[in-house]
Amino acid sequence: MKVRIAPSLLAADFARLADALAAAEAGGADLVHVDVMDGHFVPNLTMGPPVVRALRKATRLPLDVHLMIERPERSLSEYLDAGVEYVSVHVESTPHLQRCLDAIRRGGARAGAAMNPGTPTLALASSWRDVDYAVVMSVNPGWGGQPFLEGSVDKVRRLRREAKDADARLTIEVDGGVGPANAAALVAAGAEILVAGTTVYGEPDPAAAIGRLRDAAAARTEASGTR
Ligand code: DX5
Ligand code: ZN
């Protein structure tokens, strides 16, 4: 299984998002991760449907929209209408997870369920048939640049095993503090999409940083570190 790299625009210069998209393309990124925060579900506030619509028109790469918003069912259609390819909602943000996942699929996108570090994998136990990908948060969402929570590797391994036991085809994405020091361990545990903000856009040459992360992810090592 080829690992997919998803640079997170959260760590890019918001006044130069087109440059950030160009760097992602130049570096061979597979997806572009877009963090939507509402100032309620998480303390930070980022962007909404108008910016996502503009991003969708500005790159050929698939967009992976990570909704860190309360009651996502109220605004899901606006993101789906923008034509994005992946949308994840947090399991903690809605009493209607199945309805959200179903709406995402009906809207033509892959349906993702994101989980905070404190949320057990059990949160997905009733959703195997409804979910295309799980987003294992390896930091508490809200900001980029936070240190990787080491327990996340075990959580990925556990989720991979539970999905297998349930005979479910599940893609696992990991988001937060991902970098060359933990990429190989995450992949060995079963991660297939690595989100990276600071590791990519915190570097002088983001395109080259994507290549370094891809190389690290391909290395056969169980080593894991902070970034
Ligand atoms: C965190 C966001 C992440 C963030 C990751 O709340 O969901 O996508 O951009 O940034 P880094 O890679 O810097 O931890
Ligand atoms: Zn994210």
Side-chain angles (χ1 to χ4, degrees):
M1 180 60 65
K2 179 179 177 279
V3 177
R4 285 176 276 168
I5 307 288
S8 168
L9 294 179
L10 187 64
D13 180 344
F14 273 21
R16 298 178 187 279
L17 289 175
D19 293 346
L21 292 173
E25 292 185 12
D30 300 282
L31 308 167
V32 173
H33 186 83
V34 180
D35 287 304
V36 175
M37 303 183 183
D38 66 354
H40 294 277
F41 180 71
V42 289
N44 202 358
L45 189 60
T46 54
M47 61 183 86
V51 175
V52 172
R53 274 195 294 276
L55 291 170
R56 183 50 290 155
K57 290 184 194 143
T59 180
R60 58 179 171 75
L61 291 173
L63 295 189
D64 168 31
V65 176
H66 178 193
L67 295 179
M68 286 160 278
I69 63 177
E70 278 174 14
R71 305 304 298 265
E73 58 272 23
R74 291 176 182 159
S75 55
L76 261 184
S77 62
E78 296 189 67
Y79 297 97
L80 294 164
D81 289 349
V84 304
E85 289 79 1
Y86 293 74
V87 179
S88 64
V89 297
H90 267 262
V91 301
E92 307 88 357
S93 70
T94 173
H96 304 298
L97 180 61
Q98 197 279 336
R99 182 181 293 162
C100 288
L101 295 170
D102 185 55
I104 294 168
R105 280 182 172 171
R106 281 190 288 104
R110 303 275 170 85
M115 282 178 288
N116 284 336
T119 301
T121 56
L122 184 64
L124 284 192
S126 300
S127 305
W128 296 124
R129 303 291 160 234
D130 302 309
V131 68
D132 297 308
Y133 67 108
V135 183
V136 174
M137 292 306 303
S138 37
V139 299
N140 286 288
W143 289 274
Q146 302 180 78
F148 180 79
L149 295 171
E150 294 294 339
S152 311
V153 176
D154 279 344
K155 190 169 184 180
V156 170
R157 196 175 292 117
R158 196 157 59 244
L159 190 58
R160 171 57 65 220
R161 190 176 58 236
E162 289 169 3
K164 185 167 181 280
D165 289 348
D167 208 18
R169 171 71 199 114
L170 180 77
T171 298
I172 300 179
E173 172 174 318
V174 184
D175 183 9
V178 173
N182 48 44
L186 288 168
V187 171
E192 292 168 283
I193 300 176
L194 300 179
V195 175
T198 307
T199 287
V200 172
Y201 292 112
E203 293 293 317
D205 183 346
I210 293 169
R212 286 195 294 275
L213 180 59
R214 193 182 292 287
D215 290 346
R220 283 177 183 278
T221 166
E222 287 295 323
S224 72
T226 51
R227 188 174 287 277

